[in-house]
């Protein structure tokens, strides 16, 4: 079901007179179920209550049932980095409502595109040569009766995985 209720937060003035226990009661999260180093007053001011987040999760991801949304919100409350990121974002927006995060633009100049393509092919060629050497060494060892094929197979898989990861990183 789609919820039309807006995300509700409390102002710093409303939070001043509340005890920590009262803040956690309003938040809907026990003190032990929120990441260390995160203050309930900041969550209430810049993110909202547990119920607000459940509603937001269900609105943003309609396929979530209530129990799935609750489970994900509980995970979110234990993720100190994400909470801190959202709190800092909220603080920044409060200071300057027109502020928008800046994202680095991707360099699509012909030289950069060419460099990425050449780099990708170079990695695959070098990796291919390494794998070829490993396979050739394996077969030579087998023909000589030396064995050791398991180590070569593991090494070949590791090299191929490393090449794929490097290639993916360069083309991302």
């Amino acid at each position: 079901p789609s919820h039309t209720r807006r995300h509700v937060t409390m102002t710093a003035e409303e939070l001043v007179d509340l005890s920590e226990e009262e803040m956690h009661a309003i938040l809907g999260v026990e003190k032990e179920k929120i990441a260390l180093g995160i203050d309930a007053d900041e969550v209430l001011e810049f993110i909202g209550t547990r119920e607000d987040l459940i509603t937001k999760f269900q609105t943003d991801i309609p396929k979530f049932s209530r129990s799935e949304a609750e489970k994900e919100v509980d995970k979110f409350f234990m993720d100190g980095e994400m909470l801190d990121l959202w709190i800092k974002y909220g603080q920044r927006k409060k200071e300057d409502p027109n502020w928008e995060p800046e994202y680095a633009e991707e360099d699509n100049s012909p030289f950069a595109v060419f460099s990425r393509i050449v780099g990708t092919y170079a990695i695959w060629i070098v990796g291919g040569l390494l794998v070829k050497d490993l396979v050739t060494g394996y077969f030579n060892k087998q023909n000589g009766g030396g064995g050791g094929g398991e180590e070569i197979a593991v090494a070949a898989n590791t090299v191929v995985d490393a090449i794929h990861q490097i290639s993916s990183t360069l083309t991302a």
Side-chain angles (χ1 to χ4, degrees):
S2 179
H3 298 279
T4 56
R5 190 169 150 226
R6 294 223 352 109
H7 177 74
V8 179
T9 55
M10 297 180 73
T11 65
E13 294 78 27
E14 293 173 308
L15 294 166
V16 168
D17 296 327
L18 296 177
S19 70
E20 189 174 351
E21 291 78 24
E22 290 173 315
M23 283 188 241
H24 279 281
I26 293 168
L27 184 58
V29 178
E30 297 171 24
K31 186 176 182 176
E32 301 79 36
K33 302 225 176 177
I34 193 166
L36 291 175
I38 301 296
D39 296 324
D41 60 332
E42 289 183 328
V43 174
L44 285 169
E45 184 176 355
F46 297 108
I47 297 175
T49 65
R50 180 175 184 270
E51 199 58 43
D52 295 332
L53 282 175
I54 292 169
T55 301
K56 180 166 178 37
F57 275 45
Q58 284 187 297
T59 301
D60 291 350
I61 308 169
K63 70 176 187 164
F64 268 6
S65 68
R66 169 92 184 167
S67 63
E68 289 172 318
E70 288 174 352
K71 183 176 157 186
E72 292 304 317
V73 166
D74 290 341
K75 285 183 196 176
F76 181 72
F77 276 118
M78 291 303 292
D79 188 343
E81 289 180 26
M82 285 302 295
L83 287 171
D84 190 50
L85 181 73
W86 278 101
I87 289 168
K88 286 180 180 169
Y89 176 83
Q91 290 169 336
R92 195 72 191 265
K93 286 299 268 188
K94 183 179 179 182
E95 291 170 9
D96 179 9
N98 296 321
W99 176 80
E100 290 297 326
E102 294 180 25
Y103 300 101
E105 291 185 27
E106 185 177 348
D107 185 4
N108 286 323
S109 68
F111 179 75
V113 171
F114 178 76
S115 298
R116 285 193 297 266
I117 291 170
V118 169
T120 301
Y121 280 105
I123 289 169
W124 279 104
I125 290 169
V126 169
L129 292 173
L130 287 172
V131 170
K132 179 192 91 43
D133 288 345
L134 286 171
V135 171
T136 303
Y138 169 74
F139 283 118
N140 287 341
K141 209 171 196 181
Q142 288 298 318
N143 290 338
E150 298 82 23
E151 295 87 6
I152 300 296
V154 169
N157 284 339
T158 303
V159 170
V160 171
D161 290 342
I163 292 169
H164 183 263
Q165 186 161 2
I166 292 169
S167 173
S168 297
T169 301
L170 285 176
T171 57

